[in-house]
Amino acid sequence: MMGRLAVIGLGPGRDGLVTPEAAAALADAEALFGYQPYLDRVPPRPGQIRHASDNREEIARAQAALALAATGARVAMVSGGDPGVFAMAAAVCEAIEHGPAAWRTLPLTVHPGITAMLAVAARVGAPLGHDFCAISLSDNLKPWDLVARRLAAAAETGFVIALYNPASKARPDRLKDAFAIFAERLPPETPIVFGRAAGRADERIAIVPLADAADEVARADMATLVIVGSAETRLVPRDGLPPLVYAPRSSGRSVGIGT
Amino acid sequence: MMGRLAVIGLGPGRDGLVTPEAAAALADAEALFGYQPYLDRVPPRPGQIRHASDNREEIARAQAALALAATGARVAMVSGGDPGVFAMAAAVCEAIEHGPAAWRTLPLTVHPGITAMLAVAARVGAPLGHDFCAISLSDNLKPWDLVARRLAAAAETGFVIALYNPASKARPDRLKDAFAIFAERLPPETPIVFGRAAGRADERIAIVPLADAADEVARADMATLVIVGSAETRLVPRDGLPPLVYAPRSSGRSVGIGT
């Protein structure tokens, strides 16, 4: 029998945000691969084998999953958020490209999920409501000057910017460096959203103006998703409710409602 | 009793990609608002009232939904994909900002969904595997020269680019104009993905090099999502299966597997 590999997005971490197709693919798998905290989200099933690995071993994990699928097993690789956004799907494709020819005949299915920027955006309104970009601040896979050029270009041309992997022990100052780039290019009142564990019990959402972001920048960790507004991003105070943050659909000029 | 408004992402159009929370919010609503083709995806429920409106009347639709919620009703606004990505959540926030004070006290919940670029990306591998951006080519809400500057900046700094709303009768040449910008800045072999109705029965996915994209550009309609690779995007042929397209996690330099 031919094996297969499913790469599954678990979303931001609440069961109600796992798609039915992802849940069905998890249930169908004989073996699961993934980073331990993601495997921990999947309800145990009798007979289903689990292979946990460190978060830094993405290619080795992809290779192990493909090798097992090539023996005829139904294998699933779990990923937080969406597997195609700074997660396991690219590592699996990379392993297939450079692996044995047999891996290129294996059925591969990617099950999309709710990625962190969508989950955080939903909690505060619609901060991704106009053109936006997603940038990983992790620079163990790309040079910092390339990241810096992208950050500058995005801020200068009015993109909203979602930042993934903003901080780690190996590179504690990258988020601070990014905010120095924004401070030179965006108004001090630009709304910034810091979202950690969006939608989970330990959720923490903070909305601060760019000029006052230093404390939140210092507090951000790898589980934080940062949304940097554009000059057009609006902050709407509400009575008895948290403020709304949204990017107007109209952009680059003043457009009145109904005109 | 206090009314409320839920803004609900239906995903790309297959039931298995609607999150359980979105399904529960749909079932709970007394009244649904939305563009008719999105309302048609929601199973009928006795007693639930539906208000369909034209796709161009987003602010009027948001105002009508908020006005009904303010009378004490449980109201849902449905959106394709994710409501925060070129969809209804920003229009609802805009209506709240400019509407009566009472609307700012209404509980508002945004339920995220699988947006089109994630659905299309999942079908072909991992084309969004490194830094990427999402740009709407609709220019009835922003000037074209701003869109053109964003397209150029994104291509020049190596973002993968997801294009939403690529074509309409009112602006048939915008996608062609965009591809002229890409042709000056990206290698002719850059993989381009055209995805229409991803995951639905009438799905159509095409993968072509930038130099040969003219026919697909001419064929694209408003339901097409285009993913424009970067110079680093890889195309992996497979035996008996469609090719994989992915953006390597490492970027801006050559990095071997395992190094």
Side-chain angles (χ1 to χ4, degrees), chain A residues 14 16 18 20-21 58-59 84 94 97 104 128 131-132 134 136 141-143 150 157-158 234 237-238 246 249-251 253 257, chain B residues 14 16 18 20-21 58-59 84 94 97 104 128 131-132 134 136 140-143 150 157-158 234 238 246 249-251 253 257:
Chain A
R14 201 165 60 208
V18 178
E21 290 189 9
E58 295 190 341
I59 284 291
E94 198 172 322
E97 179 175 21
R104 264 163 280 167
L128 305 177
D131 299 338
F132 64 92
S136 170
L141 291 165
K142 60 191 169 187
R150 288 177 183 164
T157 54
R234 304 288 304 162
R238 294 188 296 173
Y246 79 96
R249 303 160 309 138
S250 55
S251 194
R253 65 181 176 198
I257 297 293
Chain B
R14 201 165 60 210
V18 178
E21 291 189 9
E58 295 190 341
I59 284 292
E94 198 172 321
E97 179 175 19
R104 275 181 298 261
L128 306 176
D131 300 337
F132 64 92
S136 170
N140 57 347
L141 291 165
K142 59 190 170 188
R150 288 178 183 164
T157 54
R234 304 288 305 163
R238 294 188 295 174
Y246 79 96
R249 303 160 310 139
S250 55
S251 194
R253 64 182 177 198
I257 296 293

Short mmCIF file of all heavy atoms in Angstrom, two decimals, chain A residues 14 16 18 20-21 58-59 84 94 97 104 128 131-132 134 136 141-143 150 157-158 234 237-238 246 249-251 253 257, chain B residues 14 16 18 20-21 58-59 84 94 97 104 128 131-132 134 136 140-143 150 157-158 234 238 246 249-251 253 257:
data_model
loop_
_atom_site.label_atom_id
_atom_site.label_comp_id
_atom_site.label_asym_id
_atom_site.label_seq_id
_atom_site.Cartn_x
_atom_site.Cartn_y
_atom_site.Cartn_z
N ARG A 14 -6.60 26.84 19.77
CA ARG A 14 -7.89 26.55 20.40
C ARG A 14 -8.59 25.54 19.51
O ARG A 14 -8.59 25.69 18.28
CB ARG A 14 -8.69 27.85 20.47
CG ARG A 14 -9.79 27.87 21.49
CD ARG A 14 -10.25 29.28 21.74
NE ARG A 14 -10.74 29.88 20.50
CZ ARG A 14 -10.71 31.18 20.25
NH1 ARG A 14 -10.19 32.01 21.12
NH2 ARG A 14 -11.18 31.65 19.13
N GLY A 16 -11.57 25.02 18.70
CA GLY A 16 -12.61 25.58 17.83
C GLY A 16 -12.07 26.24 16.59
O GLY A 16 -12.83 26.62 15.70
N VAL A 18 -9.50 24.65 14.81
CA VAL A 18 -8.95 23.58 13.97
C VAL A 18 -10.02 23.22 12.94
O VAL A 18 -11.16 22.93 13.30
CB VAL A 18 -8.61 22.34 14.83
CG1 VAL A 18 -8.08 21.21 13.94
CG2 VAL A 18 -7.59 22.70 15.91
N PRO A 20 -12.33 21.14 10.32
CA PRO A 20 -12.76 19.73 10.28
C PRO A 20 -11.82 18.87 9.43
O PRO A 20 -11.55 17.71 9.79
CB PRO A 20 -14.16 19.80 9.68
CG PRO A 20 -14.66 21.18 10.03
CD PRO A 20 -13.44 22.06 9.99
N GLU A 21 -11.32 19.39 8.32
CA GLU A 21 -10.40 18.59 7.49
C GLU A 21 -9.09 18.30 8.20
O GLU A 21 -8.53 17.20 8.08
CB GLU A 21 -10.13 19.30 6.16
CG GLU A 21 -11.36 19.29 5.28
CD GLU A 21 -11.11 19.78 3.86
OE1 GLU A 21 -9.93 19.96 3.48
OE2 GLU A 21 -12.10 19.97 3.14
N GLU A 58 13.95 21.21 11.74
CA GLU A 58 12.83 21.09 10.80
C GLU A 58 13.13 20.16 9.63
O GLU A 58 12.30 19.35 9.25
CB GLU A 58 12.41 22.47 10.30
CG GLU A 58 11.84 23.34 11.41
CD GLU A 58 11.20 24.61 10.90
OE1 GLU A 58 11.49 25.01 9.76
OE2 GLU A 58 10.40 25.19 11.65
N ILE A 59 14.32 20.29 9.04
CA ILE A 59 14.64 19.45 7.89
C ILE A 59 14.77 17.98 8.30
O ILE A 59 14.23 17.08 7.64
CB ILE A 59 15.93 19.95 7.19
CG1 ILE A 59 15.61 21.21 6.37
CG2 ILE A 59 16.52 18.88 6.28
CD1 ILE A 59 14.73 20.97 5.15
N GLY A 84 2.03 26.57 5.95
CA GLY A 84 2.73 27.25 4.87
C GLY A 84 3.31 28.60 5.24
O GLY A 84 4.00 29.22 4.43
N GLU A 94 11.31 21.21 0.74
CA GLU A 94 12.77 21.26 0.59
C GLU A 94 13.37 19.85 0.73
O GLU A 94 14.25 19.46 -0.05
CB GLU A 94 13.31 22.20 1.68
CG GLU A 94 14.71 22.71 1.47
CD GLU A 94 15.05 23.78 2.52
OE1 GLU A 94 14.18 24.62 2.88
OE2 GLU A 94 16.20 23.77 2.99
N GLU A 97 12.60 17.93 -2.47
CA GLU A 97 13.44 18.33 -3.60
C GLU A 97 14.82 17.69 -3.54
O GLU A 97 15.37 17.26 -4.56
CB GLU A 97 13.58 19.86 -3.66
CG GLU A 97 14.47 20.30 -4.84
CD GLU A 97 14.55 21.81 -5.01
OE1 GLU A 97 14.27 22.56 -4.07
OE2 GLU A 97 14.92 22.22 -6.14
N ARG A 104 9.31 11.84 -4.30
CA ARG A 104 8.56 12.68 -5.24
C ARG A 104 7.33 11.98 -5.81
O ARG A 104 6.57 12.57 -6.57
CB ARG A 104 9.47 13.16 -6.37
CG ARG A 104 10.03 14.56 -6.08
CD ARG A 104 11.22 14.90 -6.92
NE ARG A 104 12.38 14.25 -6.33
CZ ARG A 104 13.54 14.13 -6.92
NH1 ARG A 104 13.73 14.55 -8.14
NH2 ARG A 104 14.55 13.53 -6.29
N LEU A 128 -5.42 44.18 9.43
CA LEU A 128 -4.87 43.76 8.13
C LEU A 128 -5.84 44.13 6.99
O LEU A 128 -5.78 43.55 5.92
CB LEU A 128 -4.62 42.25 8.11
CG LEU A 128 -3.74 41.68 9.23
CD1 LEU A 128 -3.65 40.16 9.12
CD2 LEU A 128 -2.34 42.28 9.20
N ASP A 131 -3.55 46.45 2.18
CA ASP A 131 -2.36 45.69 1.80
C ASP A 131 -1.43 45.48 3.01
O ASP A 131 -1.17 46.40 3.78
CB ASP A 131 -1.61 46.45 0.70
CG ASP A 131 -2.44 46.64 -0.56
OD1 ASP A 131 -3.40 45.86 -0.77
OD2 ASP A 131 -2.14 47.55 -1.33
N PHE A 132 -0.93 44.26 3.15
CA PHE A 132 -0.09 43.94 4.31
C PHE A 132 0.99 42.95 3.91
O PHE A 132 0.93 42.33 2.84
CB PHE A 132 -0.94 43.38 5.46
CG PHE A 132 -1.61 42.07 5.17
CD1 PHE A 132 -0.99 40.86 5.47
CD2 PHE A 132 -2.86 42.04 4.57
CE1 PHE A 132 -1.62 39.65 5.19
CE2 PHE A 132 -3.50 40.84 4.28
CZ PHE A 132 -2.88 39.65 4.59
N ALA A 134 3.95 39.91 5.69
CA ALA A 134 4.34 39.07 6.83
C ALA A 134 5.85 38.83 6.72
O ALA A 134 6.33 38.36 5.68
CB ALA A 134 3.59 37.75 6.80
N SER A 136 9.32 37.34 8.85
CA SER A 136 9.90 36.66 10.00
C SER A 136 11.19 37.36 10.40
O SER A 136 12.05 37.62 9.56
CB SER A 136 10.20 35.20 9.66
OG SER A 136 10.96 34.62 10.71
N LEU A 141 18.14 32.06 9.10
CA LEU A 141 17.96 31.53 7.75
C LEU A 141 18.11 32.60 6.67
O LEU A 141 17.99 32.31 5.49
CB LEU A 141 16.61 30.84 7.62
CG LEU A 141 16.47 29.53 8.40
CD1 LEU A 141 15.01 29.12 8.52
CD2 LEU A 141 17.27 28.41 7.77
N LYS A 142 18.32 33.84 7.07
CA LYS A 142 18.54 34.90 6.06
C LYS A 142 19.30 36.04 6.73
O LYS A 142 19.20 36.24 7.94
CB LYS A 142 17.20 35.39 5.48
CG LYS A 142 16.25 35.96 6.51
CD LYS A 142 14.84 36.20 5.97
CE LYS A 142 13.91 36.51 7.14
NZ LYS A 142 12.50 36.61 6.78
N PRO A 143 20.05 36.81 5.94
CA PRO A 143 20.86 37.87 6.54
C PRO A 143 19.99 39.03 7.03
O PRO A 143 18.97 39.35 6.42
CB PRO A 143 21.76 38.32 5.38
CG PRO A 143 21.13 37.82 4.14
CD PRO A 143 20.25 36.66 4.50
N ARG A 150 13.57 44.83 3.71
CA ARG A 150 12.13 44.55 3.56
C ARG A 150 11.30 45.38 4.54
O ARG A 150 10.24 45.91 4.18
CB ARG A 150 11.88 43.05 3.76
CG ARG A 150 12.39 42.24 2.58
CD ARG A 150 12.21 40.73 2.80
NE ARG A 150 12.78 40.01 1.66
CZ ARG A 150 13.08 38.72 1.64
NH1 ARG A 150 12.83 37.96 2.71
NH2 ARG A 150 13.61 38.16 0.57
N THR A 157 6.17 52.18 1.91
CA THR A 157 5.10 52.11 0.90
C THR A 157 3.74 51.83 1.54
O THR A 157 2.78 51.53 0.83
CB THR A 157 5.42 51.07 -0.19
OG1 THR A 157 5.69 49.80 0.42
CG2 THR A 157 6.64 51.49 -1.00
N GLY A 158 3.65 51.93 2.86
CA GLY A 158 2.34 51.91 3.51
C GLY A 158 1.72 50.55 3.73
O GLY A 158 0.51 50.45 3.95
N ARG A 234 -6.41 53.10 11.90
CA ARG A 234 -7.29 53.82 12.81
C ARG A 234 -7.41 53.10 14.14
O ARG A 234 -7.43 51.87 14.21
CB ARG A 234 -8.69 53.93 12.20
CG ARG A 234 -8.75 54.57 10.83
CD ARG A 234 -8.50 56.06 10.86
NE ARG A 234 -9.42 56.71 11.77
CZ ARG A 234 -9.25 57.94 12.27
NH1 ARG A 234 -8.18 58.64 11.94
NH2 ARG A 234 -10.14 58.47 13.09
N PRO A 237 -11.74 54.18 20.00
CA PRO A 237 -12.06 53.90 21.41
C PRO A 237 -13.52 53.46 21.53
O PRO A 237 -14.37 53.90 20.75
CB PRO A 237 -11.86 55.27 22.09
CG PRO A 237 -11.30 56.19 21.07
CD PRO A 237 -11.57 55.61 19.72
N ARG A 238 -13.80 52.56 22.48
CA ARG A 238 -15.18 52.12 22.68
C ARG A 238 -15.53 52.18 24.17
O ARG A 238 -14.66 51.95 25.03
CB ARG A 238 -15.37 50.68 22.15
CG ARG A 238 -15.22 50.58 20.64
CD ARG A 238 -15.60 49.21 20.13
NE ARG A 238 -14.69 48.17 20.64
CZ ARG A 238 -14.88 46.86 20.46
NH1 ARG A 238 -15.95 46.45 19.78
NH2 ARG A 238 -14.03 45.98 20.94
N TYR A 246 -8.15 49.17 13.04
CA TYR A 246 -8.41 48.68 11.68
C TYR A 246 -7.67 49.52 10.65
O TYR A 246 -7.35 50.68 10.87
CB TYR A 246 -9.92 48.65 11.38
CG TYR A 246 -10.57 49.96 11.03
CD1 TYR A 246 -10.76 50.32 9.69
CD2 TYR A 246 -11.01 50.83 12.01
CE1 TYR A 246 -11.37 51.53 9.35
CE2 TYR A 246 -11.62 52.03 11.69
CZ TYR A 246 -11.80 52.38 10.37
OH TYR A 246 -12.39 53.56 10.03
N ARG A 249 -10.20 50.37 4.21
CA ARG A 249 -10.12 49.74 2.90
C ARG A 249 -9.63 50.74 1.86
O ARG A 249 -8.92 50.40 0.92
CB ARG A 249 -11.49 49.19 2.50
CG ARG A 249 -12.05 48.20 3.52
CD ARG A 249 -13.56 48.07 3.35
NE ARG A 249 -14.17 49.37 3.33
CZ ARG A 249 -15.15 49.75 2.50
NH1 ARG A 249 -15.63 48.89 1.65
NH2 ARG A 249 -15.63 50.96 2.55
N SER A 250 -10.03 52.01 2.04
CA SER A 250 -9.51 53.04 1.14
C SER A 250 -8.17 53.51 1.66
O SER A 250 -7.93 53.55 2.86
CB SER A 250 -10.49 54.22 1.08
OG SER A 250 -10.73 54.68 2.39
N SER A 251 -7.28 53.84 0.75
CA SER A 251 -5.90 54.03 1.13
C SER A 251 -5.26 55.08 0.25
O SER A 251 -5.61 55.21 -0.92
CB SER A 251 -5.18 52.69 0.94
OG SER A 251 -3.94 52.68 1.56
N ARG A 253 -5.48 58.22 0.20
CA ARG A 253 -6.19 59.48 0.01
C ARG A 253 -7.35 59.48 1.01
O ARG A 253 -7.70 58.46 1.56
CB ARG A 253 -6.72 59.59 -1.42
CG ARG A 253 -7.77 58.54 -1.72
CD ARG A 253 -8.31 58.61 -3.15
NE ARG A 253 -9.23 57.50 -3.34
CZ ARG A 253 -9.62 57.04 -4.53
NH1 ARG A 253 -9.13 57.57 -5.63
NH2 ARG A 253 -10.47 56.04 -4.63
N ILE A 257 -17.09 58.39 4.14
CA ILE A 257 -18.08 57.31 4.12
C ILE A 257 -19.18 57.67 3.12
O ILE A 257 -19.69 58.77 3.12
CB ILE A 257 -18.70 57.14 5.52
CG1 ILE A 257 -17.63 56.72 6.51
CG2 ILE A 257 -19.85 56.14 5.50
CD1 ILE A 257 -17.08 55.37 6.28
N ARG B 14 -15.25 25.34 1.04
CA ARG B 14 -15.53 23.92 1.28
C ARG B 14 -15.89 23.80 2.75
O ARG B 14 -15.21 24.39 3.60
CB ARG B 14 -14.27 23.12 0.95
CG ARG B 14 -14.52 21.67 0.66
CD ARG B 14 -13.29 21.06 0.00
NE ARG B 14 -12.13 21.17 0.87
CZ ARG B 14 -10.89 21.28 0.45
NH1 ARG B 14 -10.62 21.29 -0.84
NH2 ARG B 14 -9.90 21.37 1.29
N GLY B 16 -15.41 21.60 4.93
CA GLY B 16 -14.34 21.08 5.79
C GLY B 16 -13.30 22.11 6.17
O GLY B 16 -12.43 21.84 6.99
N VAL B 18 -14.40 25.29 7.14
CA VAL B 18 -15.07 26.23 8.04
C VAL B 18 -14.72 25.82 9.47
O VAL B 18 -14.92 24.67 9.84
CB VAL B 18 -16.60 26.20 7.84
CG1 VAL B 18 -17.29 27.15 8.81
CG2 VAL B 18 -16.95 26.55 6.39
N PRO B 20 -14.94 25.17 13.48
CA PRO B 20 -16.09 24.89 14.37
C PRO B 20 -16.65 26.16 15.01
O PRO B 20 -17.86 26.29 15.17
CB PRO B 20 -15.49 23.94 15.41
CG PRO B 20 -14.35 23.26 14.70
CD PRO B 20 -13.78 24.30 13.78
N GLU B 21 -15.78 27.11 15.38
CA GLU B 21 -16.29 28.35 15.99
C GLU B 21 -17.11 29.17 15.00
O GLU B 21 -18.13 29.77 15.37
CB GLU B 21 -15.14 29.19 16.54
CG GLU B 21 -14.51 28.53 17.74
CD GLU B 21 -13.51 29.41 18.46
OE1 GLU B 21 -13.39 30.61 18.15
OE2 GLU B 21 -12.83 28.88 19.35
N GLU B 58 -20.49 47.49 0.71
CA GLU B 58 -19.98 46.97 1.97
C GLU B 58 -20.32 47.86 3.17
O GLU B 58 -20.68 47.36 4.23
CB GLU B 58 -18.46 46.77 1.88
CG GLU B 58 -18.10 45.68 0.87
CD GLU B 58 -16.65 45.29 0.92
OE1 GLU B 58 -15.83 46.06 1.44
OE2 GLU B 58 -16.32 44.20 0.43
N ILE B 59 -20.17 49.17 3.03
CA ILE B 59 -20.45 50.05 4.16
C ILE B 59 -21.94 50.05 4.50
O ILE B 59 -22.33 49.94 5.67
CB ILE B 59 -19.94 51.48 3.87
CG1 ILE B 59 -18.42 51.54 4.03
CG2 ILE B 59 -20.60 52.50 4.81
CD1 ILE B 59 -17.93 51.36 5.47
N GLY B 84 -10.96 39.54 7.81
CA GLY B 84 -10.02 40.64 7.99
C GLY B 84 -9.12 40.90 6.79
O GLY B 84 -8.33 41.84 6.81
N GLU B 94 -15.09 50.46 10.21
CA GLU B 94 -15.26 51.81 9.65
C GLU B 94 -16.67 52.33 9.96
O GLU B 94 -16.83 53.50 10.34
CB GLU B 94 -15.04 51.71 8.13
CG GLU B 94 -14.76 53.00 7.43
CD GLU B 94 -14.35 52.74 5.96
OE1 GLU B 94 -13.62 51.76 5.68
OE2 GLU B 94 -14.80 53.52 5.10
N GLU B 97 -16.79 53.31 13.63
CA GLU B 97 -16.09 54.56 13.92
C GLU B 97 -16.95 55.77 13.57
O GLU B 97 -16.97 56.76 14.30
CB GLU B 97 -14.76 54.63 13.17
CG GLU B 97 -14.02 55.95 13.46
CD GLU B 97 -12.64 56.04 12.83
OE1 GLU B 97 -12.35 55.29 11.89
OE2 GLU B 97 -11.85 56.87 13.32
N ARG B 104 -20.68 51.66 19.41
CA ARG B 104 -19.38 51.41 20.06
C ARG B 104 -19.51 50.65 21.38
O ARG B 104 -18.52 50.33 22.02
CB ARG B 104 -18.63 52.73 20.26
CG ARG B 104 -17.84 53.12 19.01
CD ARG B 104 -17.07 54.42 19.18
NE ARG B 104 -17.96 55.54 19.42
CZ ARG B 104 -18.37 56.44 18.49
NH1 ARG B 104 -17.92 56.34 17.27
NH2 ARG B 104 -19.18 57.42 18.83
N LEU B 128 4.31 30.39 0.04
CA LEU B 128 4.43 31.51 0.98
C LEU B 128 5.44 31.20 2.08
O LEU B 128 5.40 31.79 3.16
CB LEU B 128 3.06 31.84 1.60
CG LEU B 128 1.89 32.09 0.64
CD1 LEU B 128 0.59 32.31 1.41
CD2 LEU B 128 2.18 33.31 -0.24
N ASP B 131 9.17 35.38 3.60
CA ASP B 131 8.45 36.65 3.72
C ASP B 131 7.55 36.89 2.50
O ASP B 131 7.98 36.71 1.36
CB ASP B 131 9.45 37.80 3.86
CG ASP B 131 10.34 37.66 5.09
OD1 ASP B 131 9.94 36.97 6.04
OD2 ASP B 131 11.45 38.22 5.09
N PHE B 132 6.34 37.33 2.75
CA PHE B 132 5.39 37.53 1.66
C PHE B 132 4.48 38.72 1.96
O PHE B 132 4.44 39.21 3.09
CB PHE B 132 4.54 36.27 1.43
CG PHE B 132 3.66 35.89 2.58
CD1 PHE B 132 2.34 36.34 2.66
CD2 PHE B 132 4.13 35.09 3.60
CE1 PHE B 132 1.52 36.00 3.73
CE2 PHE B 132 3.32 34.73 4.68
CZ PHE B 132 2.02 35.20 4.74
N ALA B 134 0.48 40.62 0.75
CA ALA B 134 -0.83 40.47 0.12
C ALA B 134 -1.29 41.84 -0.35
O ALA B 134 -1.33 42.79 0.44
CB ALA B 134 -1.83 39.89 1.11
N SER B 136 -4.19 43.95 -2.80
CA SER B 136 -5.42 43.94 -3.61
C SER B 136 -5.22 44.84 -4.81
O SER B 136 -4.78 45.98 -4.68
CB SER B 136 -6.60 44.44 -2.77
OG SER B 136 -7.72 44.64 -3.61
N ASN B 140 -10.53 50.85 -6.85
CA ASN B 140 -11.61 51.81 -6.61
C ASN B 140 -11.50 52.42 -5.21
O ASN B 140 -12.15 53.38 -4.90
CB ASN B 140 -13.00 51.18 -6.81
CG ASN B 140 -13.21 49.97 -5.93
OD1 ASN B 140 -12.26 49.45 -5.34
ND2 ASN B 140 -14.44 49.51 -5.83
N LEU B 141 -10.61 51.86 -4.37
CA LEU B 141 -10.44 52.39 -3.02
C LEU B 141 -9.04 52.97 -2.78
O LEU B 141 -8.74 53.44 -1.70
CB LEU B 141 -10.73 51.31 -1.98
CG LEU B 141 -12.21 50.88 -1.88
CD1 LEU B 141 -12.35 49.58 -1.12
CD2 LEU B 141 -13.03 51.97 -1.21
N LYS B 142 -8.17 52.88 -3.76
CA LYS B 142 -6.84 53.49 -3.61
C LYS B 142 -6.29 53.79 -5.00
O LYS B 142 -6.64 53.10 -5.97
CB LYS B 142 -5.91 52.58 -2.81
CG LYS B 142 -5.70 51.22 -3.44
CD LYS B 142 -4.97 50.24 -2.53
CE LYS B 142 -5.03 48.85 -3.15
NZ LYS B 142 -4.53 47.78 -2.29
N PRO B 143 -5.42 54.79 -5.10
CA PRO B 143 -4.89 55.15 -6.42
C PRO B 143 -3.94 54.09 -6.96
O PRO B 143 -3.18 53.46 -6.20
CB PRO B 143 -4.15 56.47 -6.16
CG PRO B 143 -3.92 56.54 -4.69
CD PRO B 143 -4.93 55.66 -4.02
N ARG B 150 3.84 49.74 -4.39
CA ARG B 150 3.92 48.56 -3.50
C ARG B 150 4.37 47.31 -4.27
O ARG B 150 5.19 46.53 -3.78
CB ARG B 150 2.57 48.33 -2.82
CG ARG B 150 2.27 49.38 -1.77
CD ARG B 150 0.90 49.20 -1.13
NE ARG B 150 0.67 50.30 -0.18
CZ ARG B 150 -0.51 50.63 0.33
NH1 ARG B 150 -1.60 49.94 0.00
NH2 ARG B 150 -0.61 51.64 1.18
N THR B 157 12.48 43.71 -3.25
CA THR B 157 13.07 43.27 -1.99
C THR B 157 12.79 41.79 -1.72
O THR B 157 13.03 41.30 -0.62
CB THR B 157 12.57 44.13 -0.81
OG1 THR B 157 11.14 44.15 -0.78
CG2 THR B 157 13.08 45.57 -0.95
N GLY B 158 12.30 41.07 -2.73
CA GLY B 158 12.24 39.61 -2.63
C GLY B 158 11.07 39.04 -1.87
O GLY B 158 11.11 37.88 -1.44
N ARG B 234 11.21 27.87 -5.67
CA ARG B 234 11.61 26.62 -6.31
C ARG B 234 10.41 25.91 -6.92
O ARG B 234 9.31 25.91 -6.37
CB ARG B 234 12.25 25.68 -5.27
CG ARG B 234 13.43 26.25 -4.51
CD ARG B 234 14.66 26.37 -5.37
NE ARG B 234 14.99 25.09 -5.98
CZ ARG B 234 15.81 24.96 -7.02
NH1 ARG B 234 16.37 26.02 -7.57
NH2 ARG B 234 16.07 23.77 -7.51
N ARG B 238 7.46 16.35 -10.14
CA ARG B 238 7.24 15.06 -9.47
C ARG B 238 6.69 14.05 -10.47
O ARG B 238 5.95 14.41 -11.39
CB ARG B 238 6.25 15.23 -8.30
CG ARG B 238 6.80 16.09 -7.18
CD ARG B 238 5.88 16.07 -5.96
NE ARG B 238 4.58 16.67 -6.24
CZ ARG B 238 3.57 16.67 -5.38
NH1 ARG B 238 3.69 16.08 -4.20
NH2 ARG B 238 2.42 17.23 -5.69
N TYR B 246 7.61 26.00 -3.88
CA TYR B 246 7.84 26.45 -2.50
C TYR B 246 8.90 27.55 -2.45
O TYR B 246 9.76 27.65 -3.31
CB TYR B 246 8.20 25.28 -1.58
CG TYR B 246 9.64 24.80 -1.66
CD1 TYR B 246 10.59 25.25 -0.74
CD2 TYR B 246 10.05 23.89 -2.63
CE1 TYR B 246 11.91 24.81 -0.80
CE2 TYR B 246 11.36 23.45 -2.69
CZ TYR B 246 12.29 23.91 -1.78
OH TYR B 246 13.59 23.47 -1.84
N ARG B 249 12.96 28.38 3.15
CA ARG B 249 12.98 29.13 4.40
C ARG B 249 14.22 30.00 4.48
O ARG B 249 14.21 31.09 5.04
CB ARG B 249 12.93 28.16 5.58
CG ARG B 249 11.71 27.22 5.53
CD ARG B 249 11.95 26.00 6.38
NE ARG B 249 13.23 25.41 6.05
CZ ARG B 249 14.10 24.92 6.92
NH1 ARG B 249 13.81 24.93 8.20
NH2 ARG B 249 15.24 24.41 6.51
N SER B 250 15.31 29.52 3.91
CA SER B 250 16.53 30.32 3.87
C SER B 250 16.45 31.23 2.66
O SER B 250 15.93 30.85 1.62
CB SER B 250 17.76 29.44 3.79
OG SER B 250 17.64 28.57 2.68
N SER B 251 16.96 32.41 2.80
CA SER B 251 16.70 33.44 1.81
C SER B 251 17.90 34.37 1.70
O SER B 251 18.60 34.61 2.67
CB SER B 251 15.48 34.24 2.27
OG SER B 251 14.97 35.04 1.26
N ARG B 253 20.73 34.05 0.32
CA ARG B 253 22.05 33.45 0.18
C ARG B 253 21.82 31.96 -0.05
O ARG B 253 20.74 31.44 0.20
CB ARG B 253 22.91 33.66 1.43
CG ARG B 253 22.31 32.97 2.65
CD ARG B 253 23.10 33.20 3.92
NE ARG B 253 22.41 32.56 5.03
CZ ARG B 253 22.63 32.84 6.30
NH1 ARG B 253 23.53 33.72 6.65
NH2 ARG B 253 21.97 32.22 7.25
N ILE B 257 21.31 21.99 2.40
CA ILE B 257 20.56 21.19 3.37
C ILE B 257 21.52 20.72 4.45
O ILE B 257 22.59 20.21 4.17
CB ILE B 257 19.94 19.97 2.68
CG1 ILE B 257 18.93 20.42 1.64
CG2 ILE B 257 19.28 19.04 3.67
CD1 ILE B 257 17.72 21.10 2.19
#
